[in-house]
Structures are given as C-alpha cells and as structure tokens.
Amino acid sequence: MTERSLLPLLLPGLAAAVLLGVALGPYGLPPGRILAILGGDRSDPQAVTVLLNIRMPRVLAAALVGAALATAGAAYQTVFRNPLVSPDILGVSAGAGFGAVLGILLGLPVIAIQMLGFGTGLATVGLVLALSLALRGTGQVLVMVLCGIAVGALAGAGIALVKLLADPEQQLPAITFWLMGSLAGIKRPDIAAALPAVLAGLLPLLALRWRIGLLAMGEDEARAMGIPAGRLRLLVIACATLMTAAAVAMAGVIGWVGLMVPHTARLLTGPRFDRLLPASVLIGAGFMVLVDTAARSIAQIEVPLGILTAVLGAPIFVGLLARGARGWSE
C-alpha cells in the first residue's frame, strides 16, 4: 500500500475519531448539535461551553499528544535501526516527569509545571548527548542508548524522592495521577504552549523524511549517498525529543504509544520512512483521541491514560510482533 492510497483512508479515520471524541462523554453531544454550534448556533449555552471550552480542547490535545509520541517513536526506531526503541530511550519521558512532579511539590501553577517538565526533558537529552559524545567509541549509538538508560534511571530515582517528600494528603495523589497520564483539565493555553514545540519537531522530520529513511541502511551507506549521517542523526534525535518533552509536559507519562503505533503503521506502509512517518502521525493522533474518549467514558471516574495504553498496547504489540516479525527482521 502506497502513501497516496493510504492517506485518503487514514484522514477520514482521524476525522471520525475526533467527531466521536467530541460527541461522547457525560454530556452527550449529537453530531447535528456539534455542527450547529460550529456553524454559529448559540441557543444552548451549556452545550456551547462543553463543546468549545472543554471537549474540543481536550480532543485536540489528545490528537497532538498521540501524533507527537507516535512520530517520535517512528523517528527513534529508524535512527537507531531498532524496532523496539521507544521515546523513553533517551530518558526524556523520565526527565520531563521529574521536572513536572518537582513543580507539583513546589506548588507551582499549572503552566509553570508544564514548562518545568519541558525544560528538564530537554536538559535530560542534552545530558545524554553530552555523555555519549564524551564516551564515544566505535559503537556511538549503543553508548547513547546506554547513557539514556542510565540518565532515565537517575530521573526515576528523583521522581521517587519527590514522591517521598510530597504531602501524602495533597501533593502525592496529584503526582501519582499525573505520572499515569491524564488530559483532565486541559485548556486552550496548554495547547498553545505545546503546539509550537510539536510543530518545531514535526516539520523538519516531514521535510527530511526521504533522507532520514536512508539512515536505516546504515551510516556508511548514507554517507556514500551524500547524506551527512552524523548531523542528520542528531537533528532527528533533537526533533523527536522536543516532541516527546512537549507531550509529557502536557499530558504526563503515557507509555506504549511511541512503540506500538509505528509498528502498526509499518504493517500498512512497509519500512520506508517517507511513508511510515505520515501514517504514524495520523494513526497516533486517532489512537490517542479514542483512548482518551474511553478514559472519560467507560467508568464514573476517569481512568488514567497510561493504564489504558498499557492494557491495549501489550496484547496488540504481541500480536504485531507475531504477524510482522519476519518483515521487521529483514
């Protein structure tokens, strides 16, 4: 299946997921009412408030987070030539999580918590890159991965320390819920703060996706074709990290999306990165919208997103491994 034949199928699927996301919830909104409100009808103030101030910002945030995590996963897997790599590989999720829980401990406002998480996520990957450059040998990619694991473990220890110091009545429940992933209470300013960072990471990857695909052939082969493999690799890592940090700062730590969605897209498009990347963006956005819709609809209390993605992701990923192991090994 080619990119041209795939996109006309994925775009309506994403649109249907978005429509379902804005329609379902404790306060149901029929499609006709949604279209009327978007067309300017203000006869039902409660429905207008639910749609424009609550439901649509949350659905858009879910699509943004899903697209960012899935794109970062596809980029990491291509750069490291390892289909089991995820956005956590450089410790960025743990680093961003540490900054956010530290902000909760300090009692900072929501926007400051998000910015602190974003900043520590970027600082984490900067530390990983600095360590890998200082320790580089013949296997620089392996060194970078191992540095990411070490720094991620250190950030995880910092998170554990913050939870130990947090007020068990007020702060600890908020920290625990945030670490499991949630889009509850998302507002338009939150999306406005994260959107530039996601676009800054996504647009270069889309523009360079043909060149990035050559990295999967190996660094020597890419250089032989005139591609500056080292600089391109660092650019891809920076873009993927930027998107991951923005997503974690906005929605908390949500696992499996960056690992599972690229594999799903690869089954549809094949291994070519120029086809894989657009498919990952659309599938990731739609998947996260559906997961968030289920999180606020299947029970009286909201289910954390990280729990749902793990419950869905583990069996789906095992099935994908069973179906696609032969193709991924080639």
Side-chain angles (χ1 to χ4, degrees), residues 104-120:
I104 295 174
L105 178 68
L106 297 176
L108 300 179
V110 174
I111 187 65
I113 291 173
Q114 292 178 344
M115 296 308 296
L116 184 58
F118 179 72
T120 53

Side-chain angles (χ1 to χ4, degrees), residues 11-303:
L11 287 173
L14 175 58
V18 170
L19 180 60
L20 189 66
V22 297
L24 296 182
Y27 186 92
L29 292 172
R33 172 61 63 184
I34 294 173
L35 295 176
I37 294 174
L38 295 178
D41 183 5
R42 298 296 184 268
S43 59
D44 188 346
Q46 184 176 6
V48 172
T49 300
V50 170
L51 177 62
L52 299 183
N53 296 336
I54 299 176
R55 200 71 57 77
M56 285 193 67
R58 179 159 183 169
V59 169
L60 293 176
L64 191 65
V65 169
L69 294 177
T71 302
Y76 282 135
Q77 290 170 11
T78 299
V79 165
F80 291 110
R81 303 174 64 193
N82 188 335
L84 298 180
V85 168
S86 71
D88 302 331
I89 189 63
L90 297 182
V92 59
S93 294
F98 172 69
V101 299
L102 183 61
I104 295 174
L105 178 68
L106 297 176
L108 300 179
V110 174
I111 187 65
I113 291 173
Q114 292 178 344
M115 296 308 296
L116 184 58
F118 179 72
T120 53
L122 293 182
T124 299
V125 75
L127 177 59
V128 170
L129 292 177
L131 288 174
S132 64
L133 289 174
L135 302 173
R136 66 183 178 183
T138 56
Q140 187 174 353
V141 173
L142 177 60
V143 171
M144 190 178 299
V145 170
L146 294 177
C147 289
I149 293 173
V151 174
L154 184 62
I159 291 174
L161 178 60
V162 170
K163 292 173 68 176
L164 180 65
L165 298 175
D167 180 1
E169 299 294 333
Q170 300 293 331
Q171 296 172 326
L172 186 58
I175 290 174
T176 302
F177 191 73
W178 187 90
L179 286 173
M180 291 188 291
S182 174
L183 288 169
I186 202 76
K187 303 296 182 184
R188 293 178 185 176
D190 302 327
I191 301 175
L195 182 59
V198 174
L199 290 179
L202 177 60
L203 294 179
L205 295 181
L206 288 173
L208 299 172
R209 62 186 185 275
W210 289 279
R211 293 190 177 189
I212 295 171
L214 296 177
L215 293 178
M217 300 171 57
E219 194 162 320
D220 293 336
E221 289 79 0
R223 285 174 178 164
M225 301 182 70
I227 303 298
R231 291 197 298 269
L232 184 59
R233 188 188 305 277
L234 289 178
L235 175 63
V236 173
I237 292 173
C239 290
T241 300
L242 186 64
M243 290 187 293
T244 303
V248 172
M250 181 168 56
V253 180
I254 303 174
W256 287 98
V257 178
L259 182 64
M260 176 180 58
V261 172
H263 281 295
T264 304
R266 193 175 286 109
L267 288 178
L268 298 174
T269 66
R272 283 183 49 175
F273 188 74
D274 59 308
R275 298 175 181 174
L276 175 65
L277 184 63
S280 296
V281 172
L282 297 177
I283 295 174
F287 173 76
M288 202 69 244
V289 169
L290 294 177
V291 169
D292 182 62
T293 302
R296 53 184 167 81
S297 303
I298 62 177
Q300 293 183 348
I301 60 172
E302 182 169 323
V303 181

